[in-house]
Amino acid sequence: MRKQILIVGAGFAGMWAALSAARLADKHQQAIDITVIAPQPELRVRPRFYESAVHTLVAPLQPLFDVTGVNFLQGHVEQILPDSKEVSWKDANGDIHLRRYDRLVLASGSHVNRDTVTGAAEHAFDLDQLESAAVLEQHINDLALQPESEARNTVVVCGGGFTGIEMALELPGRLREILGADAKTRVVVVERGAQPGGRWSQELRDVIIEASAELGVEWLVNAEVECVDASGVTLKDGQVISSQTVIWTVGVQANNLTAQINAPRDRQGRLHVNANLQVVGHDDIYATGDVAYAATDDKGNHALMTCQHAILLGKFAGNNAAADLLNITPLPYRQENYVTCLDLGAWGAVYSEGWDQQVKLTRAEAKKLKVSIVSELIYPPKADRAVAFEIADPLAPFV
C-alpha cells in the first residue's frame, strides 16, 4: 500500500506543504499519496482582507494540485485520532468519513476569538475569514444608505496590531469615497498598550504615529473594551464611543484541532514543534503555519502568525513529512530573515528589516513594494509542474 501524507488546510502553509512533499517524492521518483482536506480548493489571500473587493482575493488551487499530483478532498476535519493514525472529516454533503495517514501535516490556520468580551461576537465585525470580511465590506458600503449621525460616521477598530493598523489607516479614504468628502468621519483605534505600535521599534512606531496623524486616525491607548453593543463600544474606564461599525482584530488563536493532540501548546494554542516541525511527542504529526510554535533561529525568535512565516513553514513541513517516509535526512526549519511591510492607507506604507524593525522604506516607495508582495509574491505559482516544484524547495530563495 502506498504511503499517505494527509494535509489539513489549504492556506499558505497547507498549499506549500503539499507542493513541497510532492516535489521531494518526484525528485526521488517515489510514489506517495499526498492529499489535502480543506473547505475549498482555493487560497484565500487573508493578508489583504482589509482591502475592498474582498471577494476577488482568492486564487484557485485545483489546477495547481492537478499538475503536481496532489489529491484534494473538499470538507472539514472534525477529529484527529493519533492512536489509529486517522482523521474524521465531513464532506460537502455532511457525510462523515475516516481517512488514514502515515504522516499528518496540520495546517488548519487560526481564527479571531471574539468570545472574551461581552457583545463582541454579536455586534463586532472582523476580517478573519473571507465571508466575515465580505460582510464588513458590504456593511461599510451600506453606511451611505443610513441617515447621517455620529455613530454612522465613526468606526472603532479594536486592537492596534498589524491587522488593526492596516484596516484603520485604510478607512479614512474609503469612508470619504462612500460618505462624501465633506462627511465628518472618525476612525478610532482602541489599544491596550501605552502607545501606538508599542511592541515594535521606536523607528517603526514613529512612522505609524506620523501616518495616523496625517490621515486623522485617533488612538486611544491604555484602553480596553468592556463590552460591545448595537450602539457602539464601552471601554473599561467608562468611556462610550457611539459607532455602527466596530471591527475586532485581537485575540487570534490557533485552530481548535490543536487541542485534540496531547502535546504542549503556547498561549495562542500553537503546538510546540522540534526543528523538523514534528509535534513534540508525535513523530508522525507535523504542525505548520499558524498552528506551529516554531523557533526561527537560535536567538529566541519564533515564527509569527503571518503568511511570511506560513509559506516557509509549509515548505519545510511538507518536505520533512515526505523525507521521513523516504528515509531521507530532513531539513531543519530556519528563517532568520524577518521583514515587515505595513500598508498605511493613503499615506503610503512602511518597510522594515530584522526583528529590531529597522525602517528601510516609507511612503510611496514602500507602498510599491507592499503592492508587489501582496499581489505577486505571496500568490500561488502558475499551474506548471516544473515551476511549482522549483519554488516549493524549502531552500529556494525567499524573503
Side-chain angles (χ1 to χ4, degrees), residues 214-235:
E214 189 168 308
L215 296 178
V217 173
E218 302 174 37
W219 284 75
L220 295 181
V221 296
N222 293 317
E224 293 187 57
V225 176
E226 177 69 26
C227 65
V228 183
D229 59 28
S231 62
V233 169
T234 300
L235 304 183

PDB file of all heavy atoms in Angstrom, residues 214-235:
ATOM      1  N   GLU A 214      -1.477  62.127  10.133  1.00  0.00           N
ATOM      2  CA  GLU A 214      -1.724  62.758   8.838  1.00  0.00           C
ATOM      3  C   GLU A 214      -3.078  62.359   8.263  1.00  0.00           C
ATOM      4  O   GLU A 214      -3.752  63.167   7.613  1.00  0.00           O
ATOM      5  CB  GLU A 214      -0.605  62.389   7.865  1.00  0.00           C
ATOM      6  CG  GLU A 214      -0.656  63.168   6.559  1.00  0.00           C
ATOM      7  CD  GLU A 214       0.611  62.995   5.739  1.00  0.00           C
ATOM      8  OE1 GLU A 214       1.716  63.206   6.293  1.00  0.00           O
ATOM      9  OE2 GLU A 214       0.496  62.650   4.547  1.00  0.00           O
ATOM     10  N   LEU A 215      -3.498  61.125   8.521  1.00  0.00           N
ATOM     11  CA  LEU A 215      -4.777  60.644   7.994  1.00  0.00           C
ATOM     12  C   LEU A 215      -5.941  60.903   8.950  1.00  0.00           C
ATOM     13  O   LEU A 215      -7.090  60.625   8.606  1.00  0.00           O
ATOM     14  CB  LEU A 215      -4.686  59.149   7.692  1.00  0.00           C
ATOM     15  CG  LEU A 215      -3.696  58.752   6.592  1.00  0.00           C
ATOM     16  CD1 LEU A 215      -3.661  57.239   6.434  1.00  0.00           C
ATOM     17  CD2 LEU A 215      -4.055  59.416   5.271  1.00  0.00           C
ATOM     18  N   GLY A 216      -5.640  61.402  10.145  1.00  0.00           N
ATOM     19  CA  GLY A 216      -6.703  61.702  11.099  1.00  0.00           C
ATOM     20  C   GLY A 216      -7.207  60.508  11.880  1.00  0.00           C
ATOM     21  O   GLY A 216      -8.318  60.538  12.424  1.00  0.00           O
ATOM     22  N   VAL A 217      -6.411  59.451  11.961  1.00  0.00           N
ATOM     23  CA  VAL A 217      -6.799  58.271  12.746  1.00  0.00           C
ATOM     24  C   VAL A 217      -6.410  58.494  14.202  1.00  0.00           C
ATOM     25  O   VAL A 217      -5.259  58.798  14.513  1.00  0.00           O
ATOM     26  CB  VAL A 217      -6.113  57.000  12.200  1.00  0.00           C
ATOM     27  CG1 VAL A 217      -6.384  55.806  13.109  1.00  0.00           C
ATOM     28  CG2 VAL A 217      -6.594  56.716  10.784  1.00  0.00           C
ATOM     29  N   GLU A 218      -7.385  58.353  15.101  1.00  0.00           N
ATOM     30  CA  GLU A 218      -7.149  58.553  16.531  1.00  0.00           C
ATOM     31  C   GLU A 218      -6.722  57.241  17.193  1.00  0.00           C
ATOM     32  O   GLU A 218      -7.167  56.165  16.800  1.00  0.00           O
ATOM     33  CB  GLU A 218      -8.423  59.038  17.224  1.00  0.00           C
ATOM     34  CG  GLU A 218      -9.008  60.322  16.672  1.00  0.00           C
ATOM     35  CD  GLU A 218     -10.340  60.634  17.329  1.00  0.00           C
ATOM     36  OE1 GLU A 218     -10.475  60.373  18.552  1.00  0.00           O
ATOM     37  OE2 GLU A 218     -11.254  61.094  16.625  1.00  0.00           O
ATOM     38  N   TRP A 219      -5.903  57.365  18.219  1.00  0.00           N
ATOM     39  CA  TRP A 219      -5.518  56.215  19.031  1.00  0.00           C
ATOM     40  C   TRP A 219      -5.932  56.463  20.480  1.00  0.00           C
ATOM     41  O   TRP A 219      -5.592  57.503  21.058  1.00  0.00           O
ATOM     42  CB  TRP A 219      -4.008  55.991  18.980  1.00  0.00           C
ATOM     43  CG  TRP A 219      -3.525  55.371  17.699  1.00  0.00           C
ATOM     44  CD1 TRP A 219      -3.400  55.974  16.485  1.00  0.00           C
ATOM     45  CD2 TRP A 219      -3.103  54.017  17.519  1.00  0.00           C
ATOM     46  NE1 TRP A 219      -2.922  55.086  15.551  1.00  0.00           N
ATOM     47  CE2 TRP A 219      -2.728  53.879  16.158  1.00  0.00           C
ATOM     48  CE3 TRP A 219      -2.989  52.914  18.367  1.00  0.00           C
ATOM     49  CZ2 TRP A 219      -2.255  52.680  15.627  1.00  0.00           C
ATOM     50  CZ3 TRP A 219      -2.515  51.720  17.846  1.00  0.00           C
ATOM     51  CH2 TRP A 219      -2.162  51.607  16.491  1.00  0.00           C
ATOM     52  N   LEU A 220      -6.648  55.522  21.054  1.00  0.00           N
ATOM     53  CA  LEU A 220      -6.916  55.525  22.488  1.00  0.00           C
ATOM     54  C   LEU A 220      -6.039  54.444  23.100  1.00  0.00           C
ATOM     55  O   LEU A 220      -6.310  53.247  22.933  1.00  0.00           O
ATOM     56  CB  LEU A 220      -8.391  55.241  22.770  1.00  0.00           C
ATOM     57  CG  LEU A 220      -9.406  56.285  22.278  1.00  0.00           C
ATOM     58  CD1 LEU A 220     -10.817  55.856  22.653  1.00  0.00           C
ATOM     59  CD2 LEU A 220      -9.100  57.657  22.871  1.00  0.00           C
ATOM     60  N   VAL A 221      -4.959  54.856  23.769  1.00  0.00           N
ATOM     61  CA  VAL A 221      -4.018  53.888  24.330  1.00  0.00           C
ATOM     62  C   VAL A 221      -4.326  53.649  25.806  1.00  0.00           C
ATOM     63  O   VAL A 221      -5.112  54.383  26.425  1.00  0.00           O
ATOM     64  CB  VAL A 221      -2.564  54.366  24.141  1.00  0.00           C
ATOM     65  CG1 VAL A 221      -2.223  54.451  22.659  1.00  0.00           C
ATOM     66  CG2 VAL A 221      -2.337  55.712  24.819  1.00  0.00           C
ATOM     67  N   ASN A 222      -3.714  52.606  26.360  1.00  0.00           N
ATOM     68  CA  ASN A 222      -4.028  52.174  27.728  1.00  0.00           C
ATOM     69  C   ASN A 222      -5.536  51.980  27.886  1.00  0.00           C
ATOM     70  O   ASN A 222      -6.113  52.295  28.931  1.00  0.00           O
ATOM     71  CB  ASN A 222      -3.520  53.190  28.758  1.00  0.00           C
ATOM     72  CG  ASN A 222      -2.010  53.266  28.798  1.00  0.00           C
ATOM     73  OD1 ASN A 222      -1.330  52.240  28.766  1.00  0.00           O
ATOM     74  ND2 ASN A 222      -1.475  54.478  28.850  1.00  0.00           N
ATOM     75  N   ALA A 223      -6.150  51.476  26.835  1.00  0.00           N
ATOM     76  CA  ALA A 223      -7.609  51.343  26.815  1.00  0.00           C
ATOM     77  C   ALA A 223      -7.993  49.903  26.505  1.00  0.00           C
ATOM     78  O   ALA A 223      -7.351  49.238  25.691  1.00  0.00           O
ATOM     79  CB  ALA A 223      -8.212  52.280  25.775  1.00  0.00           C
ATOM     80  N   GLU A 224      -9.053  49.435  27.160  1.00  0.00           N
ATOM     81  CA  GLU A 224      -9.568  48.094  26.906  1.00  0.00           C
ATOM     82  C   GLU A 224     -11.079  48.146  26.771  1.00  0.00           C
ATOM     83  O   GLU A 224     -11.754  48.961  27.415  1.00  0.00           O
ATOM     84  CB  GLU A 224      -9.181  47.143  28.036  1.00  0.00           C
ATOM     85  CG  GLU A 224      -7.690  46.870  28.133  1.00  0.00           C
ATOM     86  CD  GLU A 224      -7.377  45.793  29.156  1.00  0.00           C
ATOM     87  OE1 GLU A 224      -7.912  44.674  29.016  1.00  0.00           O
ATOM     88  OE2 GLU A 224      -6.621  46.084  30.100  1.00  0.00           O
ATOM     89  N   VAL A 225     -11.602  47.267  25.946  1.00  0.00           N
ATOM     90  CA  VAL A 225     -13.041  47.222  25.700  1.00  0.00           C
ATOM     91  C   VAL A 225     -13.727  46.433  26.806  1.00  0.00           C
ATOM     92  O   VAL A 225     -13.338  45.305  27.113  1.00  0.00           O
ATOM     93  CB  VAL A 225     -13.338  46.583  24.331  1.00  0.00           C
ATOM     94  CG1 VAL A 225     -14.844  46.459  24.118  1.00  0.00           C
ATOM     95  CG2 VAL A 225     -12.708  47.407  23.211  1.00  0.00           C
ATOM     96  N   GLU A 226     -14.748  47.036  27.382  1.00  0.00           N
ATOM     97  CA  GLU A 226     -15.568  46.357  28.390  1.00  0.00           C
ATOM     98  C   GLU A 226     -16.680  45.561  27.729  1.00  0.00           C
ATOM     99  O   GLU A 226     -16.922  44.404  28.057  1.00  0.00           O
ATOM    100  CB  GLU A 226     -16.165  47.384  29.354  1.00  0.00           C
ATOM    101  CG  GLU A 226     -17.098  46.796  30.414  1.00  0.00           C
ATOM    102  CD  GLU A 226     -16.364  45.944  31.435  1.00  0.00           C
ATOM    103  OE1 GLU A 226     -15.161  46.177  31.656  1.00  0.00           O
ATOM    104  OE2 GLU A 226     -17.002  45.035  32.001  1.00  0.00           O
ATOM    105  N   CYS A 227     -17.357  46.191  26.757  1.00  0.00           N
ATOM    106  CA  CYS A 227     -18.430  45.497  26.053  1.00  0.00           C
ATOM    107  C   CYS A 227     -18.727  46.204  24.734  1.00  0.00           C
ATOM    108  O   CYS A 227     -18.358  47.360  24.528  1.00  0.00           O
ATOM    109  CB  CYS A 227     -19.694  45.402  26.909  1.00  0.00           C
ATOM    110  SG  CYS A 227     -20.449  46.992  27.292  1.00  0.00           S
ATOM    111  N   VAL A 228     -19.387  45.464  23.851  1.00  0.00           N
ATOM    112  CA  VAL A 228     -19.826  45.990  22.560  1.00  0.00           C
ATOM    113  C   VAL A 228     -21.321  45.743  22.461  1.00  0.00           C
ATOM    114  O   VAL A 228     -21.809  44.671  22.834  1.00  0.00           O
ATOM    115  CB  VAL A 228     -19.109  45.285  21.387  1.00  0.00           C
ATOM    116  CG1 VAL A 228     -19.524  45.901  20.054  1.00  0.00           C
ATOM    117  CG2 VAL A 228     -17.594  45.342  21.552  1.00  0.00           C
ATOM    118  N   ASP A 229     -22.055  46.750  21.975  1.00  0.00           N
ATOM    119  CA  ASP A 229     -23.482  46.539  21.731  1.00  0.00           C
ATOM    120  C   ASP A 229     -23.871  47.232  20.433  1.00  0.00           C
ATOM    121  O   ASP A 229     -23.007  47.745  19.706  1.00  0.00           O
ATOM    122  CB  ASP A 229     -24.339  47.007  22.916  1.00  0.00           C
ATOM    123  CG  ASP A 229     -24.157  48.482  23.242  1.00  0.00           C
ATOM    124  OD1 ASP A 229     -23.837  49.267  22.315  1.00  0.00           O
ATOM    125  OD2 ASP A 229     -24.335  48.862  24.413  1.00  0.00           O
ATOM    126  N   ALA A 230     -25.143  47.246  20.137  1.00  0.00           N
ATOM    127  CA  ALA A 230     -25.605  47.779  18.855  1.00  0.00           C
ATOM    128  C   ALA A 230     -25.327  49.267  18.701  1.00  0.00           C
ATOM    129  O   ALA A 230     -25.306  49.787  17.577  1.00  0.00           O
ATOM    130  CB  ALA A 230     -27.100  47.511  18.698  1.00  0.00           C
ATOM    131  N   SER A 231     -25.080  49.955  19.819  1.00  0.00           N
ATOM    132  CA  SER A 231     -24.854  51.402  19.747  1.00  0.00           C
ATOM    133  C   SER A 231     -23.380  51.771  19.736  1.00  0.00           C
ATOM    134  O   SER A 231     -23.041  52.936  19.545  1.00  0.00           O
ATOM    135  CB  SER A 231     -25.547  52.100  20.921  1.00  0.00           C
ATOM    136  OG  SER A 231     -24.998  51.662  22.156  1.00  0.00           O
ATOM    137  N   GLY A 232     -22.488  50.798  19.974  1.00  0.00           N
ATOM    138  CA  GLY A 232     -21.069  51.110  19.952  1.00  0.00           C
ATOM    139  C   GLY A 232     -20.269  50.339  20.980  1.00  0.00           C
ATOM    140  O   GLY A 232     -20.564  49.180  21.282  1.00  0.00           O
ATOM    141  N   VAL A 233     -19.266  51.021  21.555  1.00  0.00           N
ATOM    142  CA  VAL A 233     -18.293  50.382  22.440  1.00  0.00           C
ATOM    143  C   VAL A 233     -18.265  51.109  23.781  1.00  0.00           C
ATOM    144  O   VAL A 233     -18.291  52.340  23.834  1.00  0.00           O
ATOM    145  CB  VAL A 233     -16.880  50.438  21.808  1.00  0.00           C
ATOM    146  CG1 VAL A 233     -15.817  50.026  22.800  1.00  0.00           C
ATOM    147  CG2 VAL A 233     -16.814  49.551  20.582  1.00  0.00           C
ATOM    148  N   THR A 234     -18.191  50.331  24.853  1.00  0.00           N
ATOM    149  CA  THR A 234     -17.935  50.881  26.179  1.00  0.00           C
ATOM    150  C   THR A 234     -16.572  50.387  26.636  1.00  0.00           C
ATOM    151  O   THR A 234     -16.301  49.183  26.606  1.00  0.00           O
ATOM    152  CB  THR A 234     -19.003  50.436  27.193  1.00  0.00           C
ATOM    153  OG1 THR A 234     -20.289  50.883  26.750  1.00  0.00           O
ATOM    154  CG2 THR A 234     -18.713  51.023  28.570  1.00  0.00           C
ATOM    155  N   LEU A 235     -15.707  51.323  27.034  1.00  0.00           N
ATOM    156  CA  LEU A 235     -14.377  50.962  27.499  1.00  0.00           C
ATOM    157  C   LEU A 235     -14.391  50.706  29.002  1.00  0.00           C
ATOM    158  O   LEU A 235     -15.328  51.090  29.714  1.00  0.00           O
ATOM    159  CB  LEU A 235     -13.385  52.077  27.163  1.00  0.00           C
ATOM    160  CG  LEU A 235     -13.302  52.486  25.688  1.00  0.00           C
ATOM    161  CD1 LEU A 235     -12.220  53.541  25.494  1.00  0.00           C
ATOM    162  CD2 LEU A 235     -13.039  51.279  24.799  1.00  0.00           C
TER     163      LEU A 235
END
